[in-house]
Amino acid sequence: MPWPTTRRVIGTKVSRLDGPEKATGRAKYSYDINRPGMLHARILRCPHAHARIKSIDTAALEKVAGFRAFHIVRNAGFECRFAGDEVLGVCADTEEHAEDCLRAVRVDYDVLPHAVKEADARRLGAGQGTVGSPPNGPQNPANAQPGGDFATANFDEQAYQGTSHQIEGTYGVPVISHQCLESHGLVAEWNQDQSELTVWASTQAVPNTANQLAQNFKIPAARVRCITHYMGGGFGSKFGPDIQGTVCAELARKTRAPVKLMLDRAEEVTVGGQRPSAYGTVKVAGNRQGDIRAFEVDCYGSPGVGGGATVNFNLLPYVYVTVPFVKRRHQIVRMNVQTARAMRAPGHPQNCILTDQALDDLAAALNMNPMELRLRNLPPNDPNALKTAPNTYMARRNSIYRSQIEIIRKMCDWDRAWHPPGRGDGVVKTGLGMGLHTWGGGGRGPNPTRITISADGSVLVQSSSQDLGTGQRTVTAIVAAEIFGLEPTDITVQIGESQHGPSTPSGGSTTCPGTAPAVLNAAEAARTAFLAAIAPRLNAQAGDLVIERGSILNRANNERTPWRQACARLGQNPVQANGDWAAGLSDQGVGGVQVAEVKVDTETGVVRCTRFWAVQDCGLLINKLCCESQVAGGVIMGVNYALFEECIYDRATGRQVNPDMEFYKLGGIQDMPQIYVHMMDMPERGVIGIGEPPTISTAAAVGNAVFNAIGVRVEHAPFTPERVLAALARRK
Amino acid sequence: MSDIKETTGLSRRQFLKGSGAAAAATALGTAAAPSAQAAQPPAAQQVPGMGPAGVKITLQVNGRKMSSTVEPRVTLLDALRNYLDVTGCKRVCDRGTCGACTVLLDNKPVYACSMLALEAQGKEIRTAESLVQGAKLDAVPAAFVRFDAQQCGFCTPGFVVAMKAVLEQNPKATPAEVEKGLAGNICRCGTYEQMRDAIYSLCNTKRG
């Protein structure tokens, strides 16, 4: 069944159902779970960026007040490859005593060479590497390895033919941290005979966390229950139990008591996930009319110590994918810091930084308005997609961006407010800059959802999916309320418990498009079953009954029975039905255009982002209120990326010097712009995710606005006063 | 070298003598001898020796007396969360930066992570949980809900308490003054824009 064409609740602004619980501190997050007799655990971590464990001496633990148990994660001989690598877990009766336990353990290390700056890591040759030797591979291979080269055929011969203008610029963003406010962690509790495990975990993947723990402890998956009723932010960094999950459950098993293990702030920042850095030199060339012919990039980034990718550089040039000549060189630079994890639109903001800023530099060289340059170089609607899938991003991308640019042009008064770079008057200069982005955000199954209608008129919706703070609980209620003619507050939603069955992890903006269709299908099945059950008791044919707002209409005689009265006819037998995700109700692929206004103080170098405009599509809107919140929140995360955030690693010790919230800067309310959001409702496309896209082009737009204000490019984010002043000095 | 007079009227030498005596008393686990006390300034006299073992404390939380035994090193935040199961105040930075642990102490907003539980005895402590009676929400959390000024919600109780403090101290506060009162709080999901809608509504001011 398709989405209802007339919608009463879907697409309106609905306050989130769990809002009162959260705003008054009554909502219980994993961090807030206190169980009777609960112990507290901590993890001892390697303080060196690279070291081999020589010995671990736990003898003194027995003398520590409150000590209960320890669990060794890494044995002597293990090579720790970043400061923060787990060595041992310990638990005690109180958190204070668990802290004392950490100080009682003595670990001796052979300290080994490290590199925690991309530039240092790139200088290390074969045999000098600091990130370990692969099994059966060469000893200490270089930290920097090719990440793949690509060139369009005949690039060297033809790319720059017929071009009149060319720029070369350097752009970059550092490693940043997710900084989830609720840190990673959990409470673990076994039943009496230790055959069943319950965890309250802060996770974006409830069933996945339960399943991984079941595998680790070799017990049936059905015997592990994961509960995540409330979750304090994940942004892509919380997809399983992690090492601390296993340590916590192991300590709970050893002590036969519930154990809580939540990372402290320093741990959260140094081991809880990072977004890889990206630095590059970009050449872009075009003709006098502004047709871009060539895009050439030489870039590198660090995924930390792990061997994974940095960013998917195949996306370059980002969005403008039909530039005829492209050449890419990419280097993966491993260094002795934690391994990267997915972070809100993994790879996209970096690619956007490397593309959209270079475009503005070319526009300046061409003496052209950058909005015009973009309109001229947008990828066309894909003719093949137009035939086969006319509602998809591929089929409509040119039209989507064109209409979004038109909307934002008016919203921000671009034609009047934009000026050529550096043309502002006075000491504090104002600038406008823009950026474009795209994201998938497609849904999939399995997301089995069960709906129960009871004689008291209550409607219960159950699935194991989780609400990260996106408003998933409310989305679920909205869809059900639409079908049953009720209000979202009439619906009881139980999510975030693994025993409700499988569900897809909340990553990549897939939750709403993965679950809303499942709720719709379950609600429609429940409606059919419900009408069939009550029809004989209303002396009606089921086919004559329709649900209206608050009542059931018998079209044969125009009699209306209020919802509660109709439900009362169910007697002792509630109606229950299931539904799952099915193709056709969701889609993938969105555009998005953003414009930043900044004021740059040319004497102090301070950049303030003062106003911000965002136009975003996400297919069929379910909850317009929460969609707008997602977009504004994405923008704020992007402004942080542009102006404040950076993991700063100390070259000498190999440790992060700002694993905190004091020197790792995040903007407060007074640091953030007024944000104007325009949501495009495109119901014919079905549901598409909204979480990632709005944070992608923000930093690039801010960078372009700074360039527009002062007429000189600040190469690397964050655009701190020091860097702005250095850039201004370079101009003079 | 002559003593340096402090503005408190307590000389450096007196202070060192006083704290030394207090430390000695602590080490002995007894009250300082009267003769030693006589030589001490009044401030040092009042420092009781306690710990390192648990000490019985009673806190007045949201109108209720709550007791537990905590070590003197336990912060107010940890006492509330770990010992009294009052979890509306959240632990995030634990270093007085993010404001997620903000509580009202005799009507003043404080970072509960940055004071000891012992220091909070005898004071009226209010957390976000106090801003709801049955189903009746206080105007501040109600505005957060209405304007969707929260996403994951982990920072929200701290913001709610900080905003409540500003509006209690000055019911006629302007939106800019309320924003200033939230400068000690950090949100990661990025709810500031919606928070401004809530602020303008609470200040009965139309947003331009």
Side-chain angles (χ1 to χ4, degrees), chain A residues 289-311:
Chain A
Q289 293 75 40
D291 301 309
I292 300 173
R293 295 272 301 161
F295 184 96
E296 190 174 348
V297 55
D298 189 349
C299 62
Y300 63 91
S302 180
V305 76
T310 51
V311 301

Side-chain angles (χ1 to χ4, degrees), chain A residues 136-488:
Chain A
N136 309 319
Q139 279 290 305
N140 303 320
N143 290 32
Q145 298 290 337
D149 293 354
F150 169 85
T152 317
N154 304 319
F155 182 94
D156 291 338
E157 298 78 24
Q158 296 175 7
Y160 294 97
Q161 277 178 19
T163 62
S164 57
H165 292 73
Q166 178 183 327
I167 61 99
E168 181 175 314
T170 300
Y171 315 95
V173 276
V175 169
I176 66 163
S177 161
H178 296 68
Q179 283 277 23
C180 306
L181 292 199
E182 182 185 31
S183 55
H184 289 61
L186 69 164
V187 173
E189 180 173 335
W190 293 84
N191 68 346
Q192 190 121 41
D193 67 0
Q194 302 211 322
S195 61
E196 293 185 7
L197 171 65
T198 301
V199 295
W200 291 261
S202 186
T203 178
Q204 301 175 231
V206 166
N208 187 44
T209 299
N211 291 342
Q212 280 190 34
L213 284 166
Q215 281 171 22
N216 292 353
F217 288 92
K218 300 187 172 55
I219 54 175
R223 297 272 172 92
V224 181
R225 189 158 73 126
C226 177
I227 301 171
T228 310
H229 288 160
Y230 294 95
M231 210 271 204
F235 313 111
S237 68
K238 293 179 177 170
F239 285 110
D242 286 335
I243 290 176
Q244 75 272 1
T246 304
V247 169
C248 182
E250 183 61 41
L251 290 169
R253 198 184 58 79
K254 278 186 181 169
T255 56
R256 295 182 168 270
V259 174
K260 183 190 276 191
L261 199 175
M262 302 299 297
L263 303 190
D264 71 14
R265 187 50 34 186
E267 293 176 297
E268 180 62 21
V269 177
T270 47
V271 310
Q274 56 107 325
R275 190 196 278 285
S277 58
Y279 296 96
T281 302
V282 182
K283 273 193 230 176
V284 191
N287 62 22
R288 224 168 277 285
Q289 293 75 40
D291 301 309
I292 300 173
R293 295 272 301 161
F295 184 96
E296 190 174 348
V297 55
D298 189 349
C299 62
Y300 63 91
S302 180
V305 76
T310 51
V311 301
N312 178 8
F313 84 107
N314 294 328
L315 295 174
L316 291 170
Y318 186 64
V319 172
Y320 313 92
V321 291
T322 47
V323 169
F325 290 98
V326 176
K327 190 174 189 178
R328 296 184 290 249
R329 166 164 289 179
H330 181 64
Q331 201 180 40
I332 296 172
V333 184
R334 292 168 66 194
M335 53 186 195
N336 300 94
V337 308
Q338 66 169 317
T339 298
R341 298 188 183 196
M343 182 169 176
R344 202 169 186 175
H348 281 233
Q350 297 98 319
N351 281 315
C352 189
I353 282 267
L354 291 174
T355 304
D356 255 323
Q357 296 194 116
L359 247 67
D360 268 38
D361 288 350
L362 179 67
L366 286 161
N367 205 11
M368 199 172 175
N369 186 316
M371 190 175 270
E372 298 309 322
L373 182 73
R374 283 178 173 77
L375 283 166
R376 209 173 166 88
N377 290 283
L378 287 174
N381 291 334
D382 185 317
N384 291 326
L386 270 170
K387 282 180 213 141
T388 55
N391 283 328
T392 57
Y393 168 80
M394 286 300 279
R396 298 173 65 166
R397 58 191 178 186
N398 190 283
S399 317
I400 289 172
Y401 286 123
R402 235 164 243 289
S403 54
Q404 291 179 338
I405 289 173
E406 233 9 83
I407 292 167
I408 215 161
R409 184 203 287 266
K410 293 201 181 81
M411 281 173 81
C412 71
D413 200 7
W414 179 276
D415 294 336
R416 205 180 57 77
W418 185 84
H419 57 71
R423 292 281 175 81
D425 293 330
V427 171
V428 179
K429 298 191 186 296
T430 304
L432 278 190
M434 68 182 295
L436 268 57
H437 57 252
T438 180
W439 184 254
R444 61 186 194 282
N447 279 297
T449 302
R450 171 193 285 181
I451 294 186
T452 308
I453 305 172
S454 297
D456 61 358
S458 66
V459 176
L460 173 65
V461 189
Q462 294 169 302
S463 85
S464 67
S465 184
Q466 50 279 317
D467 190 333
L468 278 53
T470 51
Q472 179 56 23
R473 202 174 256 115
T474 313
V475 157
T476 301
I478 289 171
V479 174
E482 183 78 53
I483 301 306
F484 299 123
L486 300 171
E487 300 307 315

